[in-house]
Amino acid sequence: MNGLLLFAGDASGRSTQSGNLFDLGLAGWRDVAALGRVAAETRTALRASRQRRDIVDFLGEVVGSALEPRRGVRAVEAGELCAEAQRLIAAWTDLDCVLEGQGLDLQLGLAAFARDLISYGRDVAPSLYGQLLSGEHQAALEALRLQVRMRADRATALAAAMRGFATRAGAFAAAFAAFERDPAVRISLREAPELCLAYDDDGVVMLEPVKGGAARQFWRLQLDQTADAHRLRSAADAALHLHITPDDKLWTLANASTPFGFPLVSEGPPPCVGALEGLPVGADLFRVPPRQGATLENVAFPGHALDVAEVQAGAPLRLWEKTGQSTQQWAFSPAPRTRREIALHDLVAPAADLATTVAGVRGLRGDWNAVLDDLEAGLSVADGGAPDLDAVLAGWERMADAAEAALAEFEAEAKAFDTAGS
């Protein structure tokens, strides 16, 4: 019972089952305040983004309106975002509404809860516990009942508000965890979906039968916002990426064109899988479907597309002039994340870890009742043995110290946000 109960729970069957007396993680209080700050900053950024159409028009129009819903307005039309993203939006909206409407009350309630722990541990218990164990204990017990019940009533009101807050934080954290930013995808030929891109030990990229599901068949698409293109990282080995071989002569020839605008050479440097060190600019950046139809193109070779000479297992990937043929038509499973979906993920990511902590906030009211149960039940038992008063008071002093430290962090976080917003 962490040394806080005077009778250590021996006399009260209820208190022995109460677990940790104050299981609100004191060290995590700063996360509670920080989540409110992050939510407000996100709200402000969304409102500002609506005035920046040159940079983030999609964010302001689609994500922004979804995360900052207006009564009677449907924020996201069907098909705009994937199902996981829409669930994330709904969970974030619920949490943000609680924070916007009740954030101040929660903040004040938590501060009061901490101060109740501090005053009880430093003032009430030291002054009344000794009297409680003396021959004239009735007056001390009445005074303790008043102090404990007063704190329990305040904690009860806070717990009701905290329960909804914690539940919504947990739902948001779960929705975020289910929405993978860069999910592993297979890249298959549209006309032969049973064949997908994989690579061998030498980094040669080739078609391989989907059947069997080797780890090397999966890729993570990582959007480079500046280049408006993706890096294709092996899901089996994070150090390996698809890129174009750095052959100076072929790079020059493949990027030269005839007077009619056609590439000078049909085949460019071969694609391969390997580390990124020492590569020419753009060698590892690709524009993926549906950005350019169904073709998969390297940004350094605008006149070429990734291609295979034959539609069969073992056929190597090559960089070939654009023909529009089926050997240059690729499909991704699942579909790559859109810019809107990635923007949504990154926008709410700072709140995700905080929400995980907040979701664990429980156990405010019952803890004070356990204290009172222990005191009353312990005094009703004759010859219950002499409690170790010094150890109990030392336990309350430690709790008071922890609550004071948590309160200081909580208030510092809240003050930092108030200062920034003023």
Side-chain angles (χ1 to χ4, degrees):
M1 297 302 298
N2 75 16
L4 299 180
L5 293 182
L6 183 59
F7 295 97
D10 293 337
S12 168
R14 176 176 170 180
S15 62
T16 58
Q17 302 300 318
S18 63
N20 190 333
L21 276 176
F22 297 97
D23 60 3
L24 169 61
L26 295 177
W29 281 21
R30 187 168 188 168
D31 285 355
V32 176
L35 182 56
R37 172 180 56 79
V38 168
E41 290 173 347
T42 299
R43 204 178 305 124
T44 299
L46 286 169
R47 288 168 178 161
S49 74
R50 294 185 176 185
Q51 311 304 319
R52 301 289 302 278
R53 297 180 62 83
D54 56 320
I55 299 175
V56 283
D57 58 318
F58 67 92
L59 190 62
E61 291 177 359
V62 179
V63 180
S65 59
L67 295 187
E68 188 192 346
R70 292 166 290 172
R71 190 182 300 274
V73 176
R74 185 175 181 183
V76 181
E77 295 298 327
E80 281 285 359
L81 300 174
C82 66
E84 297 96 324
Q86 294 194 44
R87 283 192 288 270
L88 180 58
I89 284 175
W92 173 257
T93 301
D94 287 345
L95 175 60
D96 188 46
C97 286
V98 170
L99 286 167
E100 190 170 23
Q102 304 176 30
L104 180 60
D105 290 341
L106 290 170
Q107 188 179 81
L108 295 174
L110 278 170
F113 183 75
R115 293 190 183 99
D116 278 346
L117 288 173
I118 296 168
S119 62
Y120 192 90
R122 294 202 178 142
D123 301 324
V124 176
S127 66
L128 293 179
Y129 275 25
Q131 296 177 38
L132 190 68
L133 297 177
S134 68
E136 299 293 331
H137 62 259
Q138 192 58 40
L141 181 58
E142 286 301 320
L144 282 167
R145 282 182 181 140
L146 177 63
Q147 292 290 339
V148 171
R149 284 173 176 162
M150 181 173 59
R151 287 166 170 78
D153 288 345
R154 283 195 289 264
T156 299
L158 176 61
M162 191 65 71
R163 206 160 24 245
F165 176 39
T167 298
R168 286 168 175 80
F172 165 67
F176 184 85
F179 180 42
E180 193 173 7
R181 185 187 191 276
D182 304 310
V185 302
R186 275 195 176 103
I187 306 173
S188 305
L189 280 175
R190 293 181 66 177
E191 74 159 20
E194 73 280 2
L195 297 174
C196 65
L197 289 184
Y199 60 94
D200 63 17
D201 292 342
D202 296 320
V204 176
V205 191
M206 66 192 75
L207 290 179
E208 182 176 278
V210 168
K211 187 177 180 180
R216 289 179 176 179
Q217 294 181 1
F218 292 92
W219 310 83
R220 296 194 184 277
L221 277 62
Q222 299 172 311
L223 178 64
D224 184 309
Q225 296 276 7
T226 303
D228 191 22
H230 292 78
R231 289 182 177 85
L232 276 61
R233 191 188 80 195
S234 168
D237 187 339
L240 301 179
H241 292 72
L242 180 66
H243 62 83
I244 304 301
T245 304
D247 183 303
D248 291 342
K249 183 177 180 181
L250 281 176
W251 269 65
T252 300
L253 290 173
N255 277 292
S257 61
T258 67
F260 302 100
F262 298 108
L264 188 61
V265 294
S266 294
E267 187 169 7
C272 66
V273 169
L276 297 181
E277 291 79 10
L279 294 179
V281 175
D284 60 328
L285 290 170
F286 296 86
R287 294 193 173 92
V288 304
R291 186 74 174 178
Q292 300 290 338
T295 59
L296 184 55
E297 305 169 8
N298 181 267
V299 298
F301 298 89
H304 293 72
L306 298 187
D307 181 283
V308 289
E310 299 175 288
V311 182
Q312 63 180 32
L317 188 67
R318 64 182 183 177
L319 186 65
W320 197 262
E321 65 177 305
K322 291 179 185 177
T323 63
Q325 299 298 313
S326 58
T327 54
Q328 295 182 356
Q329 304 291 304
W330 302 94
F332 288 69
S333 179
R337 294 290 188 220
T338 66
R339 288 171 58 92
R340 292 186 177 109
E341 290 164 350
I342 292 173
L344 168 63
H345 179 282
D346 293 349
L347 186 71
V348 301
D353 288 341
L354 299 173
T356 300
T357 302
V358 171
V361 173
R362 294 289 188 273
L364 299 177
R365 178 178 181 274
D367 302 322
W368 285 115
N369 285 336
V371 172
L372 188 58
D373 285 349
D374 183 72
L375 294 174
E376 294 179 335
L379 290 174
S380 68
V381 176
D383 301 322
D388 187 346
L389 181 60
D390 290 341
V392 172
L393 294 180
W396 275 111
E397 180 66 25
R398 287 191 296 271
M399 175 61 75
D401 289 344
E404 186 172 58
L407 179 61
E409 288 203 351
F410 183 85
E411 291 183 330
E413 177 69 46
K415 183 177 179 181
F417 172 57
D418 291 340
T419 301
S422 62

